[in-house]
Amino acid sequence: MKKLICLFALSGLLFACNAPESQEMEAATATQPEESPVTYQPIDTDEALMATALMAAPEASREGAKVIGYNIAGEFVTFKEGTNEFICLADNPNQEGFNAACYHRSLEPFMARGRELRAEGKNANEIFDIREKEVKAGQLDMGETGATLHIYYGPEAQYDPATGEVDQAQYRYVVYMPFATAASTGLPERPVEPHHPWIMNPGTHRAHIMITPLTEGE
């Protein structure tokens, strides 16, 4: 009988000791705030265009990157001067979806020539042929071999003002290797599997390595 009484007493003591701890854990869980869902807003101001363009740059380089592109009024402007090696091109607000880019400064002559030819009404094939001829003639600089273009793109022109992140946007990287081929790089001319690197436009001025990372959840 004495052992039974001692057992009940010990059980009560253990329950009494554990109860406050359990109550504290439940209280702590109950008071933790739930994460609020992101409320995306339209990219409809020059500030939003600049903020989302900078998302194309590596995070450590965003502060010093230059930002150019079409503003809400439809004018091609410099949103922000830069101090490092990156130039960011903002999304064109007059086109569907979202597409911003950030590239190494040495690529600017090549990129600027493309914008100039598009403004003249040239199509993609014409622009390719004209720049190919100009690069081969030494009239157009393709920049440093291995210079990279970072692309940030998605189907919706909606963003989170708190972070600059664009709804459903993802990244793609282009590493320019003028006149490189599959033989000179060892890369295939088509991706072996989804998201594997490959060389596009091999043997031309616009030869480049394509890299499309996995997105979250893939």
Side-chain angles (χ1 to χ4, degrees):
M1 178 63 72
K2 184 180 291 185
K3 290 182 180 180
L4 187 60
I5 293 171
C6 289
L7 182 61
F8 280 129
L10 181 59
S11 299
L13 181 61
L14 289 173
F15 178 79
C17 290
N18 290 333
E21 184 178 350
S22 300
Q23 291 171 359
E24 287 176 8
M25 291 178 65
E26 290 175 1
T29 303
T31 56
Q32 286 182 352
E34 293 184 2
E35 290 187 9
S36 301
V38 176
T39 302
Y40 292 105
Q41 297 183 11
I43 302 172
D44 56 5
T45 67
D46 288 351
E47 291 75 16
L49 286 169
M50 184 173 73
T52 52
L54 287 169
M55 290 298 296
E59 186 174 358
S61 302
R62 290 170 188 167
E63 184 176 348
K66 181 177 181 178
V67 182
I68 61 176
Y70 288 99
N71 62 15
I72 294 299
E75 306 160 324
F76 196 87
V77 300
T78 296
F79 292 97
K80 173 173 103 66
E81 293 292 351
T83 58
N84 64 21
E85 71 274 24
F86 284 107
I87 298 175
C88 292
L89 183 65
D91 176 59
N92 187 336
N94 294 318
Q95 294 181 351
E96 292 294 322
F98 175 84
N99 194 313
C102 187
Y103 52 86
H104 192 270
R105 280 182 176 271
S106 67
L107 288 167
E108 176 58 9
F110 172 71
M111 297 295 182
R113 183 61 171 144
R115 293 193 295 268
E116 179 182 313
L117 292 171
R118 277 190 292 274
E120 293 174 4
K122 299 290 193 296
N123 62 37
N125 290 333
E126 290 172 326
I127 292 171
F128 183 97
D129 291 341
I130 291 170
R131 291 196 294 193
E132 174 86 354
K133 182 179 178 180
E134 292 176 349
V135 171
K136 286 183 174 179
Q139 299 170 341
L140 179 60
D141 185 5
M142 277 297 300
E144 300 290 337
T145 298
T148 303
L149 168 69
H150 304 240
I151 305 168
Y152 187 53
Y153 67 103
E156 301 292 338
Q158 303 273 335
Y159 84 120
D160 178 1
T163 64
E165 293 182 358
V166 176
D167 184 20
Q168 302 177 63
Q170 59 188 19
Y171 289 96
R172 177 181 296 141
Y173 303 98
V174 172
V175 183
Y176 284 97
M177 304 282 289
F179 304 105
T181 63
S184 69
T185 62
L187 288 167
E189 295 184 7
R190 294 286 185 273
V192 176
E193 294 287 347
H195 307 290
H196 283 217
W198 57 289
I199 188 165
M200 187 175 183
N201 301 133
T204 72
H205 76 288
R206 197 169 173 268
H208 57 276
I209 301 168
M210 292 283 290
I211 304 170
T212 304
L214 289 167
T215 58
E216 187 175 351
E218 285 188 297

